[in-house]
Amino acid sequence: MESNIGNKHPDRLDDIDLHIINALRADGRVAFAQLAEQLNVSPGMIRQRYNRLVDLGYLKVVAVTNPLMMGKRTMSMIGIRTDGRKMMDVASKIAKFDEVVYIVATSGRYDLMIEVFCSDHEDMLNFMTEKLAKVDGVRETESFIYLKIIKEIYF
């Protein structure tokens, strides 16, 4: 998902828009007719609002998989320090790796934070030594292996 951090979106959301968003966050398969009944409006209005929210970038429709069920048993967050001028180049190269599911440029101790899903510890070791460590501009990494996911939401 593209970042709009710090950007103000010119279009305001009203109560109907917010209800649609919250209902879809709870159940992405909720019927437009059901939403229309809850809001006492027509299903066509819900469809129009939904399409507008997608077009404006407020909603993005995707299937979310369970990494454990997909064979990804080892997950980690990795902090990366880079050579300053190479940070965005490093980020572009790392973003191409299949194991990387999330990458952000940050302030603080690390220049980049990435989330990585691998099949097992050996696969994670291979990723870190044969891929990540060989990216020109990566100076230092620190990995945080996930022991248990306590909370997971999709905002």
Side-chain angles (χ1 to χ4, degrees):
M1 177 174 281
E2 289 186 26
S3 172
N4 288 327
I5 295 172
N7 294 344
K8 291 187 178 181
H9 211 287
D11 298 295
R12 293 268 183 224
L13 299 179
D14 64 14
D15 290 341
I16 293 174
D17 293 328
L18 293 172
H19 185 89
I20 292 168
I21 290 169
N22 288 327
L24 289 168
R25 284 183 63 210
D27 178 2
R29 298 181 300 168
V30 66
F32 288 168
Q34 184 179 345
L35 290 174
E37 187 176 317
Q38 293 170 2
L39 294 167
N40 200 27
V41 297
S42 72
M45 179 185 194
I46 298 298
R47 187 176 302 99
Q48 287 177 338
R49 293 289 189 109
Y50 168 84
N51 289 333
R52 181 178 142 268
L53 291 168
V54 170
D55 290 344
L56 292 173
Y58 284 103
L59 289 176
K60 182 176 181 180
V61 181
V62 298
V64 178
T65 59
N66 180 338
L68 297 173
M69 297 299 291
M70 301 299 290
K72 303 299 183 183
R73 313 283 308 162
T74 303
M75 296 167 260
S76 70
M77 182 68 66
I78 301 173
I80 302 169
R81 296 180 86 182
T82 65
D83 293 335
R85 290 177 284 175
K86 295 182 179 181
M87 182 176 76
M88 296 312 292
D89 185 47
V90 169
S92 293
K93 290 175 184 172
I94 291 171
K96 294 176 184 171
F97 296 144
D98 291 337
E99 297 89 347
V100 176
V101 298
Y102 184 75
I103 182 169
V104 292
T106 61
S107 63
R109 178 178 174 95
Y110 301 105
D111 302 310
L112 303 170
M113 295 292 293
I114 65 173
E115 188 172 19
V116 177
F117 291 3
C118 293
S119 58
D120 54 32
H121 286 97
E122 185 176 339
D123 190 27
M124 181 68 71
L125 177 62
N126 184 61
F127 169 77
M128 293 178 70
T129 58
E130 298 302 317
K131 289 185 175 183
L132 186 58
K134 292 182 178 180
V135 173
D136 181 43
V138 170
R139 285 191 309 155
E140 177 182 324
T141 66
E142 184 174 359
S143 60
F144 305 89
I145 301 291
Y146 296 2
L147 301 176
K148 181 177 178 75
I149 297 172
I150 308 301
K151 180 178 180 180
E152 181 177 49
I153 62 169
Y154 301 95
F155 194 80

